[in-house]
Amino acid sequence: MSLLLGAVAYDPKVVTIWTGFRTWFRDRGVDFDYVLYSQYERQVEALLDGSIDLAWNSPLAWIRARRLARHRGAEVRAVAMRDTDRDLASVIVVRADSDLHTLDDLRGRTVATGAIDSPQATLLPLAVLADAGVQARIRRHDIGVGLHGDHIGGEREAARALRTGGADAACLIDANLLQFAREGVLPSGSVRVLGQTTPYDHCNLTAGPGVDAEAFVDMLLGMEYGDDQLRPLLDLEGLKQWLPGRTEGYAALDAAVTATGFYRQDGGIGATGYRP
Amino acid sequence: MPPVIDLEGLGLDGGAHLLIDHALAALRPGESLRVRGHHPALAVQLAAWCRSEGHLYLPEMTVVKGSADAERWAHAERAGQAAATVAERAKPEWGLAARGALVEPGGPPLDVDWAERDHVWADIAPQLYAQANANQWNPATAVDWAGPHTVPDDIEDAVVQIMTYLVENEQAALMIPARLLARLHPHYREVMQLLAAQAADEARHLEIFTRRALLYRDVLGVSGAGGRSSLQSLLDEPDYTLASFLLSVLGEGSFLDLLRFVQRHAPDRATADVTMLAGRDEARHVAFGVAHTAHVVRTDPAYLARLRGAVERRHSVLVDTAGLNKEVFDSLVVLAAGSWTPDAIGHGWRQVQRLQHTMDEGRQRRLEFIGFPADEAAEISALHTRNFM
Ligand SMILES: [Fe+2]
Ligand SMILES: [Fe+2]
């Protein structure tokens, strides 16, 4: 079995993680290697043209991969995900002392978001506003465009804009609500949650059309947090356990992608101003 | 009924996780904890926190304890049995953990060369370290720098030359413990502390000898190539115990007598002060070197042959060099003579002969203490460098 995985280099730690996993797999007789991409669009295209067998995909990359595959009459499969990729939520927060109390109050106000391609800090929370029929001024923070929101910078800037009065509301992933409190970007008690998304899923390991990754995935799912050699890698990658892939958690994002035209049904890029 | 924790108004952005962790500590993985509280964002915070900690969040504020924490510490071991017990072997995996601490596995192993107790230890190390701390002194105030300048010019020439020589020896004496301690496993903390104190002592010696040399002059004396070759051969010794033996037992041991000699013949208070202060520190350095080498020989008597081999090797490397440079030797004679009359110079010459004899006796005494028979101690002492250090 020989498998080549693609991952996006959103942080230097990606090299440590996948080099470590490569060693672990090779020690167990699996001819596994990885390549890095600077952004998700190129990685998805590589998965579809067969340059790589597996892609460690953002939720948005998963949606594009599936659309591209279906357009060609093929299928990609979400074969694994982290325990931390399940049931996330994004929140829309306002300053605790503001006079904004419902989503409706955001009509005509300024809402700070992450980058144009961030599912958690842009596409999903804006879909919540759209569903509520609220038209707001959007102030986007395009940091790390092409990384699909993996770079935390856009969200941090959105939080700062809220704090300093540059925006009336900000969109964040739930975990960053806690992270920014620790960092002092949004001190404890400084913000109020006005609305939130329904739970959604995040990254997955996507197998390209016709790729047999069953044995590989079995081994991946067998990785144990109690393994002293693996645990530092799992900590870096932000999981305790690999779980089988599931796709129900991408419905809301798929709908948002369709509604905004971010990708076309054939998988082409439709978003204006998106330059990964 | 699962236990309940009431967070009142505290959120997870304000420290509530401490209370939850505290409550979870009493549970086994798989058991549940109900969380109560009225922070408005508690549910969304709790779900995010559970995810990041590997607990399962069930809506309506229930935490099912995960196993990540138990797994993280499952193979943890202490860095040695207890803080007060020095292990025979220190594992690189203990890394920089405090002796006796519970060490989470998976950290980077420490890249050190010396991780065996008997290779670095001496039982007297903790006492010597305490003594080193108790005997710290301030170079600015411990020396009488402002005394009257009554030293004749040609005696001052000799003092400046001797100080110049002392400084280069102190530089070697600083670099060697500094190198040794960087390669030592910190589990042997007392030895590391002692070496650090020793390096700090030498740093001060550098300062006071330089300051004494420049007290009345702008220009230092000469540095001979032979003397520097001798010091280089000390720096080149890669083995911990052999380096400690050559430097502290033989070199600094001989220096004790040299410093006493300069102190006795000092033409002014400052010279007497600096040699007395340095000598006090050196006695400690020698004590550790002797105790450590004796410890190694006690655990492995065959080590005596390696000690002897190191001296012979160094001797053969240096056999064609000048050893002590002529300017230093002559300056010691002039210092002891105190003037340039033939009688005085003859007296000074005999004093320096006696100094060399005293050094030889001291070395033999220490070699015998370490475990050499008397005849062998005499042979080895005779092979010691002519450069004293
Ligand atoms: Fe010294
Ligand atoms: Fe010394």
Side-chain angles (χ1 to χ4, degrees):
Chain A
M1 173 170 53
S2 156
L3 284 171
L4 183 61
L5 173 140
V8 166
Y10 69 96
D11 187 282
K13 73 178 182 181
V14 174
V15 174
T16 311
I17 292 166
W18 289 105
T19 301
F21 284 159
R22 179 176 66 179
T23 303
W24 189 85
F25 276 109
R26 288 189 171 186
D27 285 351
R28 282 152 186 80
V30 181
D31 183 13
F32 170 75
D33 203 357
Y34 72 97
V35 289
L36 294 180
Y37 292 87
S38 62
Q39 37 115 333
Y40 278 107
E41 307 309 334
R42 212 173 282 287
Q43 172 169 299
V44 170
E45 288 153 20
L47 181 68
L48 269 295
D49 73 19
S51 309
I52 52 176
D53 303 306
L54 296 161
W56 180 235
N57 267 340
S58 74
L60 198 55
W62 156 253
I63 282 166
R64 182 168 183 225
R66 190 166 54 179
R67 289 185 180 196
L68 283 171
R70 286 188 175 164
H71 184 67
R72 301 173 189 188
E75 277 296 335
V76 288
R77 281 159 306 125
V79 291
M81 63 206 310
R82 300 170 300 184
D83 52 357
T84 45
D85 284 315
R86 292 190 172 186
D87 300 321
L88 284 66
S90 291
V91 291
I92 300 169
V93 295
V94 295
R95 285 184 295 280
D97 58 1
S98 81
D99 57 356
L100 305 165
H101 295 283
T102 66
L103 285 179
D104 231 34
D105 295 340
L106 289 176
R107 222 173 279 279
R109 308 297 281 262
T110 304
V111 175
T113 71
I116 183 171
D117 56 342
S118 171
Q120 59 267 22
T122 306
L123 294 163
L124 288 164
L126 290 186
V128 170
L129 284 183
D131 287 348
V134 175
Q135 286 244 339
R137 270 196 309 272
I138 305 305
R139 200 173 140 194
R140 235 169 46 207
H141 296 85
D142 278 339
I143 296 176
V145 171
L147 302 180
H148 292 185
D150 285 357
H151 193 293
I152 197 173
E155 251 170 287
R156 196 181 275 122
E157 286 309 305
R160 282 209 183 102
L162 172 66
R163 175 107 192 270
T164 56
D168 299 301
C171 302
L172 316 169
I173 196 165
D174 53 6
N176 281 342
L177 199 55
L178 299 177
Q179 167 84 9
F180 292 160
R182 275 195 298 272
E183 289 179 4
V185 176
L186 295 178
S188 164
S190 66
V191 294
R192 192 148 40 76
V193 176
L194 211 58
Q196 67 186 81
T197 64
T198 50
Y200 60 86
D201 286 356
H202 209 254
C203 299
N204 74 54
L205 185 67
T206 312
V211 172
D212 175 13
E214 204 176 326
F216 174 84
V217 170
D218 280 350
M219 289 178 74
L220 192 73
L221 299 190
M223 285 186 174
E224 287 180 355
Y225 196 66
D227 180 328
D228 299 332
Q229 185 200 344
L230 276 175
R231 190 171 51 253
L233 301 175
L234 298 176
D235 280 340
L236 270 184
E237 183 53 38
L239 75 154
K240 307 283 188 279
Q241 200 189 344
W242 290 101
L243 297 174
R246 67 177 192 188
T247 56
E248 310 89 87
Y250 301 114
L253 184 61
D254 194 75
V257 165
T258 301
T260 56
F262 194 93
Y263 296 131
R264 294 190 299 269
Q265 283 304 329
D266 64 5
I269 295 173
T272 47
Y274 175 44
R275 300 175 65 90
Chain B
M1 270 295 283
V4 180
I5 174 90
D6 190 350
L7 304 175
E8 301 174 6
L10 197 62
L12 278 99
D13 58 350
H17 66 280
L18 273 86
L19 292 164
I20 303 173
D21 270 337
H22 191 64
L24 285 173
L27 306 184
R28 283 189 296 265
E31 293 183 339
S32 298
L33 174 72
R34 301 255 309 141
V35 179
R36 259 194 228 133
H38 54 263
H39 187 283
L42 189 55
V44 69
Q45 289 177 348
L46 189 59
W49 181 80
C50 284
R51 200 188 314 120
S52 73
E53 298 298 307
H55 305 306
L56 183 65
Y57 173 76
L58 298 177
E60 301 319 311
M61 313 285 284
T62 295
V63 179
V64 182
K65 183 175 177 172
S67 58
D69 200 48
E71 288 178 273
R72 180 183 297 281
W73 296 101
H75 308 121
E77 60 166 280
R78 296 218 169 254
Q81 289 179 314
T85 313
V86 179
E88 236 170 88
R89 258 166 219 279
K91 295 188 184 174
E93 291 73 24
W94 294 347
L96 297 168
R99 192 159 73 212
L102 188 63
V103 183
E104 177 192 346
L110 199 60
D111 182 18
V112 288
D113 297 308
W114 297 306
E116 279 175 62
R117 186 188 59 202
D118 289 337
H119 202 148
V120 300
W121 191 253
D123 292 331
I124 199 176
Q127 275 159 270
L128 286 175
Y129 176 60
Q131 211 183 86
N133 283 330
N135 291 336
Q136 295 296 300
W137 44 271
N138 180 353
T141 54
V143 178
D144 180 12
W145 297 113
H149 179 201
T150 54
V151 186
D153 254 6
D154 39 13
I155 303 295
E156 181 64 17
D157 286 343
V159 171
V160 169
Q161 180 55 59
I162 292 166
M163 292 296 147
T164 304
Y165 162 80
L166 290 177
V167 168
E168 77 184 33
N169 281 270
E170 295 296 346
Q171 274 170 175
L174 191 161
M175 287 176 74
I176 291 163
R179 286 178 176 191
L180 295 181
L181 84 85
R183 296 170 63 193
L184 174 67
H185 198 301
H187 183 79
Y188 305 108
R189 187 180 66 218
E190 292 83 351
V191 174
M192 185 169 266
Q193 290 168 313
L194 192 58
L195 289 171
Q198 186 169 332
D201 289 342
E202 309 299 10
R204 259 193 326 243
H205 301 172
L206 276 181
E207 180 185 340
I208 54 174
F209 292 149
T210 304
R211 193 160 166 187
R212 174 59 192 89
L214 298 174
L215 197 55
Y216 309 116
R217 297 283 170 86
D218 300 328
V219 178
L220 291 181
V222 300
S223 163
R228 291 204 315 280
S229 298
S230 178
L231 293 176
Q232 183 62 45
S233 69
L234 277 182
L235 291 176
D236 288 344
E237 177 51 65
D239 181 81
Y240 178 95
T241 300
L242 296 180
S244 167
F245 170 67
L246 292 176
L247 172 71
S248 294
V249 178
L250 298 179
E252 290 176 319
S254 303
F255 249 58
L256 278 181
D257 294 315
L258 177 66
L259 293 169
R260 256 180 237 131
F261 177 91
V262 178
Q263 185 190 346
R264 193 164 62 245
H265 298 291
D268 62 338
R269 276 287 301 277
T271 303
D273 286 350
V274 294
T275 45
M276 181 275 292
L277 288 164
R280 213 168 65 190
D281 292 340
E282 293 306 337
R284 217 169 39 239
H285 308 168
V286 175
F288 178 66
V290 169
H292 167 62
T293 312
H295 179 92
V296 172
V297 169
R298 250 198 324 278
T299 56
D300 176 17
Y303 203 84
L304 284 175
R306 288 194 60 194
L307 295 173
R308 180 179 182 135
V311 177
E312 287 170 345
R313 227 172 21 253
R314 188 173 179 217
H315 177 75
S316 66
V317 167
L318 297 174
V319 71
D320 293 326
T321 66
L324 185 66
N325 72 54
K326 171 179 158 311
E327 289 80 1
V328 176
F329 189 90
D330 292 352
S331 295
L332 290 170
V333 173
V334 171
L335 189 76
S339 77
W340 282 88
T341 65
D343 258 8
I345 293 296
H347 172 77
W349 177 269
R350 286 190 301 277
Q351 294 292 313
V352 174
Q353 295 303 315
R354 193 172 300 161
L355 165 65
Q356 287 172 299
H357 183 69
T358 309
M359 286 173 166
D360 184 37
E361 280 178 345
R363 284 195 298 268
Q364 290 188 44
R365 204 171 54 242
R366 290 180 194 105
L367 288 164
E368 286 180 44
F369 179 85
I370 285 165
F372 284 103
D375 54 340
E376 215 179 326
E379 282 168 36
I380 295 171
S381 175
L383 293 177
H384 183 62
T385 173
R386 281 162 289 173
N387 191 47
F388 303 152
M389 180 63 94

